[in-house]
Amino acid sequence: MGWLGVTALRWRAHRPVVEGVPAYRHYGARDAKIVITEFSDFQCPACRMAAEAVRSVKARHAKKVTLVFRHKPLTKIHPHAFLAAQAAECVGRQGKFWEYHDLLFQRQREWTAAPDVKAALVELAADLGLDRAGMQACLGNPETVRPIMKDIDAAEQKSVNATPTFLVNEDRCVGARQFLTRCLPDIRRKLGEAE
Amino acid sequence: MKPSRSGSSDRGPILGFSARVVVAGVFVFSGLEKLVAPPEEFAAVIETYRLLPDFMALLLARVLPWLQLYAGLALAAGYLTRLSAALIGAMLAVFIGALGSTIVRGIPLSDCGCYGEFIHLNPPTAIAVDAVLLALTVLAARSGRRLLALDRWIGAPEMRNL
């Protein structure tokens, strides 16, 4: 009976990811055989460490791999994660999602410790040349919440509870270590086979 | 008035049964909590202890929750009570050792990963909880078979000399 229950719960995890991730959160080849979906949280230190691995994939495999970023803000332990996700959506709509993604992780300690986190996030966007007033207005717009909620639903459907979680086609790696030691070698092997 | 010897020993079966239920409940909950999540998530927790090679972490993440679940169910039912208590005691001793080693080696763990997503304990708290559970496990092994235990009904002859 226990086995049946567990199998039923696992079955949930293998349903397809919900479609509808905005184009600005895709990186790399459009019709790649390998799709890496990262569920991440901008306030999570483990995600910051994994960002280096993501940068390496972007630099080395962008022509053969599709990278998709999905929000999974762990708001119980990271109180500013949702706001950062909203800010990333605002910047993404202006075409600089990945630059802001990198900046949020590089300067994570700085903006998470700021007395006014919202202002710090707006300043980071301004560093990329975006308009401060536009960012403020966007952060107050409930429309920015919708794509994040969609990602949170998708995470639930795929039984993603921890960040960062990488779904590489059907494989799953949780954390930078698993991504570097298991998923990335698999990706390289598959790309080698495809060549 | 001093309690009589027989009076105190009468409480033994109840205490043993209570200890069995508490320890079994914790292990069944802990096992199920890990089983309903993808094993890679528990493997990521095991990796933070830096005690095992990577492939062993995923293997352990697949095996340990089942071991916890079945040992917990056996103890709850009072089936092979001493063997299941011994297995749980061994697991608790290993958990205490692993948690202690992270403190000694200065590995910062914010969560021991013992109870999945619902309960987060830091290593010192988890060690204290595991020590209490270990004491209850000893109690369950010593007097847990005397009340509402399958062992009493089906015999479990191989356990009589343990």
Side-chain angles (χ1 to χ4, degrees):
Chain A
M1 282 300 285
W3 180 84
L4 278 176
V6 168
T7 305
L9 285 161
R10 285 248 173 94
W11 173 81
R12 268 186 351 150
H14 290 286
R15 285 190 295 180
V17 173
V18 175
E19 295 299 324
V21 179
Y24 53 78
R25 282 201 259 125
H26 286 74
Y27 192 94
R30 277 283 150 207
D31 303 316
K33 285 182 184 169
I34 298 173
V35 179
I36 305 171
T37 306
E38 182 193 8
F39 284 89
S40 186
D41 167 329
F42 288 116
Q43 202 184 341
C44 140
C47 301
R48 185 186 70 229
M49 288 184 248
E52 193 54 47
V54 171
R55 263 195 296 277
S56 147
V57 169
K58 280 163 64 186
R60 296 181 61 179
H61 305 295
K63 287 181 183 167
K64 293 174 183 172
V65 165
T66 305
L67 184 63
V68 182
F69 182 95
R70 305 207 76 165
H71 298 288
K72 171 65 182 166
L74 301 174
T75 47
K76 279 185 193 166
I77 50 173
H78 300 143
H80 310 306
F82 200 95
L83 187 63
Q86 280 183 273
E89 283 304 293
C90 293
V91 175
R93 286 173 188 183
Q94 298 185 59
K96 294 199 172 178
F97 175 81
W98 290 101
E99 292 91 328
Y100 195 63
H101 163 280
D102 291 349
L103 208 54
L104 282 173
F105 284 126
Q106 280 160 16
R107 293 166 67 177
Q108 190 189 63
R109 288 193 186 94
E110 188 185 315
W111 65 263
T112 51
D116 185 346
V117 172
K118 192 174 177 179
L121 290 168
V122 170
E123 276 311 304
L124 281 184
D127 287 353
L128 293 175
L130 301 183
D131 170 49
R132 287 184 181 85
M135 272 298 286
Q136 290 280 6
C138 179
L139 283 171
N141 183 351
E143 279 299 302
T144 58
V145 172
R146 196 171 294 168
I148 301 166
M149 295 310 294
K150 211 175 200 176
D151 283 356
I152 292 171
D153 287 346
E156 200 170 314
Q157 280 190 14
K158 298 293 275 182
S159 293
V160 172
N161 308 300
T163 58
T165 291
F166 297 91
L167 303 178
V168 183
N169 294 349
E170 289 304 310
D171 294 332
R172 178 187 299 251
C173 286
V174 179
R177 192 182 172 97
Q178 283 182 25
F179 184 71
L180 289 169
T181 59
R182 199 158 50 78
C183 278
L184 201 52
D186 275 353
I187 291 166
R188 288 188 179 138
R189 198 165 50 245
K190 282 172 189 164
L191 289 176
E193 282 167 9
E195 278 169 356
Chain B
M1 206 166 77
K2 280 184 181 177
S4 67
R5 270 182 163 269
S6 63
S8 67
S9 71
D10 284 343
R11 288 198 297 269
I14 295 170
L15 288 175
F17 172 74
S18 306
R20 236 176 66 204
V21 169
V22 171
V23 175
V26 170
F27 266 70
V28 168
F29 173 78
S30 175
L32 279 176
E33 259 298 288
K34 293 176 188 108
L35 282 169
V36 297
E40 291 85 356
E41 289 185 4
F42 184 41
V45 173
I46 295 170
E47 283 162 7
T48 59
Y49 285 72
R50 296 180 212 161
L51 287 168
L52 295 172
D54 295 327
F55 77 96
M56 286 280 287
L58 191 54
L59 185 68
L60 187 63
R62 291 185 198 279
V63 172
L64 184 63
W66 287 109
L67 209 55
Q68 287 186 294
L69 177 65
Y70 284 120
L73 287 175
L75 191 66
Y79 178 63
L80 299 177
T81 308
R82 285 183 177 166
L83 182 63
S84 54
L87 185 59
I88 287 175
M91 281 191 264
L92 285 167
V94 170
F95 297 161
I96 291 170
L99 287 160
S101 81
T102 65
I103 296 171
V104 170
R105 288 177 294 151
I107 296 172
L109 288 187
S110 56
D111 174 28
C112 68
C114 321
Y115 305 102
E117 282 302 295
F118 283 96
I119 301 170
H120 297 271
L121 301 178
N122 60 27
T125 313
I127 288 173
V129 170
D130 285 351
V132 171
L133 288 173
L134 190 55
L136 290 173
T137 306
V138 172
L139 185 60
R142 289 180 64 176
S143 45
R145 301 167 69 199
R146 288 154 64 190
L147 184 68
L148 294 174
L150 275 181
D151 284 346
R152 285 176 68 87
W153 296 333
I154 61 175
E158 77 279 16
M159 297 303 296
R160 280 186 185 141
N161 296 326
L162 278 177

